[in-house]
Amino acid sequence: MEDALFIHRLHFAFTITFHYLFPQLTMGLAPLIVVLKTIAIRKNDERFNEAARFWTKIFGIDFVLGVVTGIPMEFQFGTNWAQFSKLTGGVIGQPLVMEGVFSFFLESAFLGLFLFGEKRLSKWGHWWAAFMVFVGSWMSGYFIIVTDAWMQHPVAFTRGADGSFQVNSFIGVLTNPWALLQYAHNMSGAVITGSFVMAAVGAFYLLNRRHEEHGRIFLRVGVIAGLIFSILQVFPTGDLHGRYMAKHQPATTAAMEALWKTQAGAPMVIIGQPDVENQRIDNPLVVNNLLSFLIYGTTAGEVRGLNEFPRENWPTNIPLLYFSYHIMVGLGTLFIAVMSVSAFLLWRRKLYESRWLLWIVMLCLPFPYIANTAGWMTAEIGRQPWLVYNLMRTSEGFSRNVSAGNGIFTLLGFMGLYTLLAILFLFLVYREIDHGPGSAIAALGRTASKLTGSEV
Amino acid sequence: METVWFILVALMLTGYVVLDGFDLGAGIIHLLVAKTNDERRLVIRAIGPVWDGNEVWLLAAGGTLFFAFPPVYASSFSGFYLPLNIVLWLLVLRAIGIEMRAHMDNQVWCDFFDGLFAIGSILLTIFFGAALGNVVRGVPLSKDGVSFAPLWTDFRVGPQPGVLDWYTILSGVVAFVALALHGAHYVALKTEGDLNARTRNLAKMLWPILAALTLLSLFATMYVRPGVMDNYRNHPVSLLVPILVVGSLGLIFTSLKRGDDFKAFLGSSTYLATMLVGAAFALYPTLLPSSSNPSLDLTIHNSAAGQYALQGGITWWTAGMAVAIGYFVLVYWLFRGKVSIETGEHGY
């Protein structure tokens, strides 16, 4: 049975991690596309329309991948986590069906109009379609966060005689404070992915000396949005979320920081490898008092260490949790640094010529994906050993009727299928980037002018 | 209140089959009726702007089942672990087939994705039919409402059946033919010329097969599950359902003769809806019957969520679905009429 539990956890972890690579970009790009379209209409500038059209194509490919990898997620609650679904369906069935009824229908209806309806609709009509796709994708995110937040911080329920959870306030579930904090932090993370990708493609064009006009637009929008949301990611969203977590999941906070002993003026480890057996950190680099200060706003605050909690309630993989958290925080800091310097040079009108910085911006492309993944790993590994925090253990939730062998079979199937999808995605997106924004005729014109050396 | 949610789940599934049914059907007949690259693009264009929304009905139906009857969702999804995962893979491949085809102007590329679309659609309809067959026949439920069905055992309908036995395979074939016909009517409705003519001819060939299979599956169901007629005997007014099934088959027949694609499509929609409503009515109040012992059946009484959830859910669920139906009307109206190859805005 231990084996089956491990396989079911790996099954969910693999499929959800791969899935979330796509929605974070769609949710991040959607508001940026709305911004591009707004500027295009307000300034009556066709270049912004071309920029919006280019990102709409990337959005379309990304959206398809998000949909096809998302459908298995909704089924997996039932297939691999039947005990959990049976007992908690009375609560989390609500946000999950709400996602279908309120956001999926909306998205599917307006996506077609958004992707293919530009000629059929007026310019404001098409702006509206883009806006509705933005609203739909962000609503969808909210319902998923509500579901996860309920598992992290269960509210608004009663227990039945059979141990089942039943909702006793719809509004209570939807306004779970944990959900509001997590949503703000998560959506800001998605916009960071969107803006870094946009800025990176802009940098790529400028470094390549192709599509330079559009490249500058991408950089400008990407850097401004990237700076705003990199800061929001830490303060206030990350800060508030961290404090709320320290209050309600103290064992998780202690494990994230690898803090063994309860202490006032607790230090924060910047680098170092936790050694759980010997309760120490190897090769540490610490800042004294910082952890107490971050949680309580005073260096005298007392932070509870892991030793205060029974060992069976410790998160099951402390080193992985510790590293996920530190990678997230480290990259978050890097984002602010890169975007601050870029924004400063943009303001001084030197960004487009600063090739060293363009290289850095371009090479930062994978980091928001890693940071978002690490953030989610922090949340979910940190919740262990609970499925519903403090109430239902992960070991009680999986489908007892599905053996490890069947689990491995479908896990391998998903791994093979998703490898194919990943290759397809990279191939198609690279083709779009290579083709570049602007109409095909304009592109031909540019090629012609390059060949003949004349202006067209 | 449980009964209301039973009806809503049944309606969602019916909506799914009628709507996604025609784009699945289009996939089944795709390679058969569309010969040239342009014709294949036309078939994809006919379903392009709507198929994704149609598929949302499946997700919403699954979500509604999860919300209203968690133990049924848990038991059936984990019990049908293997077939459901295969269905998921097919859904992924089919979606990729539809959406990725137009990204390259290259014969091998297009053929590959056309193949994915067709194979995905064909196998999905058979699996969906078999799934319904399983629900009607019953599954090996244990005392705590847990089951695990192997893909097949000895293909016989016994107390320990596999997911595929002769009865469920028959259901799969019925679904396959019914949706192929439904899809043919939709493609005929949306196209002109040769493609339209070929599709109509195919529909004329499919009709007698479907009529025969419908009759066969009725007898098979009465043999496999003798209790299936109880609800009908107790409520004679429900005999309207089989009358409507026969009537819709008649409507398809006469419309095919007169070349009225719209009425034929209406006929196949009615056929699918009444077949499903009929099955749901026969099952009520059971949601997932046991193949060995009726006292182990999962019914609306022993597996509903709490009263607060069910009562409050009616309000927001109905409001949400009303808006969703509004979107559907808007999208179908905007993309109404025959599809053509000229307009370049389509993307398919």
Side-chain angles (χ1 to χ4, degrees):
Chain A
M1 272 306 165
E2 282 289 297
D3 281 354
L5 173 61
F6 175 71
I7 293 300
H8 287 300
R9 287 186 63 190
L10 191 61
H11 203 283
F12 205 92
F14 172 73
T15 47
I16 194 77
T17 304
F18 188 79
H19 167 62
Y20 194 62
L21 295 175
F22 303 103
Q24 61 179 293
L25 183 62
T26 38
M27 293 189 301
L29 278 181
L32 299 181
I33 292 175
V34 173
V35 168
L36 288 173
K37 288 191 72 71
T38 312
I39 299 176
I41 298 178
R42 296 292 288 274
K43 288 194 173 168
N44 202 11
D45 188 336
E46 186 53 25
R47 288 172 314 162
F48 280 86
N49 262 331
E50 287 164 359
R53 253 173 244 135
F54 171 78
W55 286 105
T56 303
K57 279 190 215 151
I58 307 273
F59 181 95
I61 299 169
D62 194 77
F63 193 93
V64 171
L65 271 291
V67 169
V68 299
T69 56
I71 295 172
M73 299 321 304
E74 175 154 351
F75 285 69
Q76 237 175 94
F77 287 105
T79 50
N80 297 65
W81 297 91
Q83 275 306 105
F84 168 70
S85 303
K86 188 175 167 181
L87 294 179
T88 63
V91 182
I92 65 163
Q94 182 210 342
L96 288 176
V97 67
M98 278 183 160
E99 185 190 25
V101 169
F102 290 102
S103 18
F104 287 161
F105 279 123
L106 184 150
E107 279 180 287
S108 69
F110 285 95
L111 185 73
L113 293 174
F114 171 52
L115 296 184
F116 312 123
E118 197 176 351
K119 287 184 190 142
R120 218 172 261 251
L121 300 163
S122 68
K123 59 184 178 183
W124 281 110
H126 193 244
W127 182 92
W128 183 248
F131 184 75
M132 289 308 268
V133 170
F134 160 50
V135 170
S137 64
W138 278 51
M139 258 169 54
S140 178
Y142 189 69
F143 291 121
I144 292 303
I145 294 280
V146 163
T147 308
D148 182 65
W150 187 83
M151 294 163 69
Q152 299 279 0
H153 184 58
V155 293
F157 65 90
T158 53
R159 297 295 291 267
D162 55 350
S164 67
F165 296 82
Q166 301 294 347
V167 61
N168 65 14
S169 162
F170 288 126
I171 304 294
V173 172
L174 290 177
T175 56
N176 185 348
W178 191 290
L180 303 175
L181 293 169
Q182 195 180 357
Y183 184 65
H185 193 56
N186 184 69
M187 299 319 278
S188 160
V191 182
I192 291 177
T193 299
S195 20
F196 268 78
V197 169
M198 190 174 276
V201 172
F204 173 73
Y205 284 153
L206 289 193
L207 288 171
N208 244 327
R209 303 196 194 288
R210 290 172 57 206
H211 311 293
E212 289 179 80
E213 225 167 311
H214 296 98
R216 285 186 212 109
I217 293 178
F218 297 167
L219 261 174
R220 196 157 62 206
V221 175
V223 166
I224 294 171
L227 178 65
I228 296 172
F229 285 89
S230 298
I231 292 171
L232 288 178
Q233 189 68 1
V234 177
F235 192 86
T237 67
D239 175 53
L240 288 173
H241 193 16
R243 285 178 198 226
Y244 200 74
M245 190 162 188
K247 197 167 158 194
H248 294 278
Q249 294 188 354
T252 307
T253 302
M256 273 155 57
E257 304 285 359
L259 185 74
W260 317 102
K261 293 188 192 75
T262 300
Q263 49 195 289
M268 187 159 183
V269 182
I270 307 296
I271 311 178
Q273 297 82 39
D275 177 348
V276 179
E277 282 72 37
N278 299 310
Q279 303 212 346
R280 61 169 197 221
I281 308 231
D282 295 335
N283 317 310
L285 180 66
V286 298
V287 180
N288 286 329
N289 301 330
L290 183 58
L291 184 58
S292 288
F293 179 74
L294 286 177
I295 295 176
Y296 298 105
T298 154
T299 53
E302 191 182 73
V303 182
R304 283 196 280 168
L306 276 169
N307 287 336
E308 288 228 355
F309 307 96
R311 188 130 194 172
E312 71 268 18
N313 290 351
W314 288 13
T316 34
N317 196 335
I318 290 172
L320 188 58
L321 172 59
Y322 166 93
F323 284 119
S324 303
Y325 170 68
H326 281 78
I327 288 170
M328 171 185 83
V329 172
L331 288 176
T333 314
L334 175 78
F335 297 159
I336 296 183
V338 170
M339 283 303 174
S340 301
V341 176
S342 304
F344 178 73
L345 291 184
L346 181 70
W347 174 57
R348 306 300 318 220
R349 299 179 191 282
K350 286 183 185 152
L351 175 62
Y352 305 140
E353 285 74 41
S354 308
R355 294 177 71 82
W356 62 275
L357 187 55
L358 295 180
W359 268 101
I360 293 176
V361 169
M362 183 178 79
L363 292 177
C364 272
L365 184 122
F367 293 143
Y369 286 100
I370 296 172
N372 271 294
T373 306
W376 271 106
M377 285 175 72
T378 307
E380 304 311 299
I381 298 169
R383 195 192 61 232
Q384 304 302 328
W386 306 101
L387 210 44
V388 181
Y389 199 75
N390 258 340
L391 295 170
M392 180 180 189
R393 284 178 182 272
T394 308
S395 56
E396 298 166 326
F398 67 98
S399 303
R400 302 229 153 230
N401 47 340
V402 178
S403 65
N406 281 311
I408 290 177
F409 172 69
T410 55
L411 176 60
L412 291 174
F414 275 109
M415 284 177 165
L417 187 59
Y418 284 4
T419 305
L420 182 76
L421 294 185
I423 294 170
L424 196 60
F425 175 79
L426 291 174
F427 171 68
L428 289 174
V429 167
Y430 182 74
R431 271 186 84 239
E432 292 299 342
I433 293 175
D434 189 42
H435 179 259
S439 65
I441 297 157
L444 275 178
R446 273 195 291 275
T447 320
S449 72
K450 213 180 276 173
L451 288 175
T452 58
S454 65
E455 289 297 316
V456 177
Chain B
M1 197 45 67
E2 290 85 356
T3 304
V4 174
W5 283 98
F6 179 91
I7 295 170
L8 292 179
V9 171
L11 280 182
M12 291 302 287
L13 277 175
T14 307
Y16 170 69
V17 173
V18 172
L19 288 169
D20 208 32
F22 71 71
D23 59 64
L24 283 162
I28 298 175
I29 63 167
H30 182 48
L31 296 182
L32 220 54
V33 294
K35 302 288 180 195
T36 65
N37 190 39
D38 277 354
E39 286 179 347
R40 290 192 179 163
R41 275 173 73 190
L42 279 177
V43 174
I44 306 267
R45 280 188 177 193
I47 63 165
V50 294
W51 79 269
D52 180 35
N54 294 344
E55 202 167 288
V56 173
W57 283 77
L58 178 65
L59 286 180
T64 308
L65 181 71
F66 189 13
F67 168 76
F69 306 104
V72 177
Y73 169 85
S75 195
S76 57
F77 279 41
S78 62
F80 296 134
Y81 185 81
L82 293 174
L84 256 179
N85 274 285
I86 294 171
V87 162
L88 291 173
W89 299 341
L90 291 171
L91 284 173
V92 172
L93 289 174
R94 176 174 179 271
I96 294 295
I98 299 172
E99 293 295 332
M100 297 303 172
R101 176 189 202 282
H103 279 278
M104 294 255 286
D105 193 13
N106 168 331
Q107 197 58 46
V108 175
W109 175 276
C110 292
D111 285 349
F112 175 73
F113 287 96
D114 280 337
L116 279 188
F117 175 42
I119 293 169
S121 303
I122 290 168
L123 291 178
L124 275 171
T125 49
I126 294 175
F127 264 94
F128 284 142
L132 185 66
N134 272 277
V135 173
V136 172
R137 178 206 60 199
V139 293
L141 286 172
S142 70
K143 274 203 186 64
D144 51 355
V146 174
S147 70
F148 188 84
L151 275 178
W152 58 76
T153 49
D154 52 4
F155 294 98
R156 263 184 253 156
V157 183
Q160 291 297 326
V163 170
L164 295 175
D165 59 28
W166 68 262
Y167 175 72
T168 58
I169 292 176
L170 174 66
S171 312
V173 174
V174 176
F176 172 74
V177 176
L179 293 182
L181 183 64
H182 189 46
H185 293 152
Y186 182 78
V187 172
L189 184 62
K190 298 294 279 184
T191 58
E192 300 160 304
D194 286 351
L195 182 55
N196 173 286
R198 254 180 261 133
T199 315
R200 282 185 188 179
N201 280 338
L202 181 69
K204 279 178 195 157
M205 285 183 338
L206 287 171
W207 186 88
I209 305 176
L210 181 63
L213 281 172
T214 307
L215 201 64
L216 185 61
S217 75
L218 177 68
F219 288 123
T221 305
M222 291 200 296
Y223 170 74
V224 169
R225 205 167 174 77
V228 80
M229 298 307 287
D230 291 353
N231 278 343
Y232 285 94
R233 273 191 216 100
N234 298 337
H235 304 275
V237 65
S238 60
L239 290 173
L240 210 60
V241 172
I243 293 172
L244 275 170
V245 171
V246 174
S248 60
L249 280 172
L251 178 63
I252 298 172
F253 183 74
T254 53
S255 312
L256 277 175
K257 273 220 153 140
R258 281 188 285 119
D260 189 336
D261 297 325
F262 181 71
K263 281 208 176 127
F265 179 69
L266 219 55
S268 57
S269 302
T270 316
Y271 171 83
L272 292 169
T274 44
M275 285 289 275
L276 284 163
V277 168
F281 181 76
L283 279 172
Y284 179 86
T286 304
L287 283 151
L288 190 65
S290 156
S291 56
S292 52
N293 181 351
S295 70
L296 298 176
D297 287 357
L298 290 177
T299 69
I300 63 167
H301 305 297
N302 65 15
S303 50
Q307 282 301 313
Y308 171 84
L310 295 187
Q311 263 160 15
I314 290 284
T315 328
W316 56 256
W317 191 93
T318 318
M321 280 313 292
V323 177
I325 289 168
Y327 299 145
F328 270 77
V329 174
L330 175 74
V331 169
Y332 278 89
W333 181 76
L334 278 170
F335 291 98
R336 68 194 179 278
K338 306 263 181 194
V339 284
S340 73
I341 207 73
E342 279 88 36
T343 48
E345 60 175 303
H346 228 294
Y348 289 100

